[in-house]
Amino acid sequence: MSGDPVLTQKELLHLAMTDSRNGRHDEAIIKLKRCITAEPASAAAHHLLAAEYAEIGMLQEATEEFEQVLSLDATSVAARFQLGLTYMLAGDAGQAKRAWSAIAEIERDGPWDRFRAALECLMSNEFTGALKHFDAGLAMNFKNDALRRDMSRLRDKVRAASPPDQPEASEQQANELLLRNYTRGPKN
């Protein structure tokens, strides 16, 4: 028998996703970096690495990796959406909107486009418009369970934070709502 067994790209990606789901972000990042070293043009590995960085709050690194994904696959709506989200979380609404601008061209009125429109409404403190876009997106027939969960969770938070007699939020309320939904602290 010669040498140690070597994991394939597919195996490394699968193991990295398992590590990520189980909160082992360090192990996931190590495996994803191994994937990228072996295959630098792997948009999937860059995308997963960007998501890991975003998950642990390393927004600059996440932004750089999402940019790399888009340089490899300019039509990746998920990466484009998440790039805008990292800009939004970093407090740069203008960059978020620029990152999201191509979503409407790639997927006009699809679920990602509706989620984008809802977040842009929230950034402008327009709870009523955000709810309209969330509801329209959730009414669509699509198979991305994670996207559906995120949209539903944020829609429910917007509804809870928006009393019927005050449909629009203050800027502080809108920012707090977005940050609570997309930033994670230590898991208990």
Side-chain angles (χ1 to χ4, degrees):
M1 194 171 192
S2 64
D4 291 329
V6 176
L7 295 170
T8 66
Q9 283 290 103
K10 184 177 179 180
E11 291 166 336
L12 280 170
L13 285 172
H14 180 79
L15 291 169
M17 289 187 291
T18 300
D19 285 336
S20 179
R21 278 192 300 274
N22 292 312
R24 294 187 303 263
H25 303 293
D26 55 341
E27 291 297 322
I29 290 170
I30 289 167
K31 287 175 178 80
L32 293 167
K33 286 183 173 186
R34 284 175 57 194
C35 283
I36 291 167
T37 298
E39 191 178 322
S42 172
H46 283 284
H47 194 149
L48 292 170
L49 182 57
E52 282 302 307
Y53 283 142
E55 176 75 19
I56 63 173
M58 296 179 71
L59 297 181
Q60 180 61 42
E61 291 79 358
T63 299
E64 291 168 6
E65 286 298 321
F66 283 128
E67 293 280 3
Q68 181 63 29
V69 173
L70 293 173
S71 76
L72 296 167
D73 179 6
T75 64
S76 175
V77 177
R80 189 165 300 284
F81 180 84
Q82 291 172 310
L83 174 62
L85 193 56
T86 59
Y87 281 126
M88 183 192 78
L89 292 173
D92 193 338
Q95 280 289 86
K97 288 178 182 180
R98 276 187 287 287
W100 288 334
S101 66
I103 291 175
E105 296 168 21
I106 298 168
E107 187 200 76
R108 168 117 6 242
D109 293 325
W112 289 105
D113 190 39
R114 290 300 183 159
F115 201 2
R116 171 211 53 84
L119 290 178
E120 286 185 5
C121 283
L122 286 178
M123 289 190 305
S124 300
N125 311 317
E126 299 170 17
F127 277 21
T128 303
L131 288 170
K132 179 184 107 185
H133 289 294
F134 282 132
D135 289 340
L138 288 166
M140 294 177 181
N141 184 16
F142 64 96
K143 297 181 192 274
N144 186 327
D145 293 336
L147 176 61
R148 187 172 294 283
R149 259 191 321 274
D150 281 351
M151 288 176 76
S152 182
R153 184 176 59 233
L154 190 51
R155 179 199 55 191
D156 293 346
K157 287 181 179 183
V158 170
R159 279 197 178 129
S162 178
D165 59 334
Q166 292 182 324
E168 303 310 327
S170 71
E171 184 173 351
Q172 181 179 352
Q173 285 174 302
N175 288 338
E176 286 173 3
L177 183 67
L178 288 169
L179 289 174
R180 272 197 317 267
N181 200 61
Y182 284 105
T183 55
R184 305 192 197 308
K187 295 189 168 95
N188 296 326

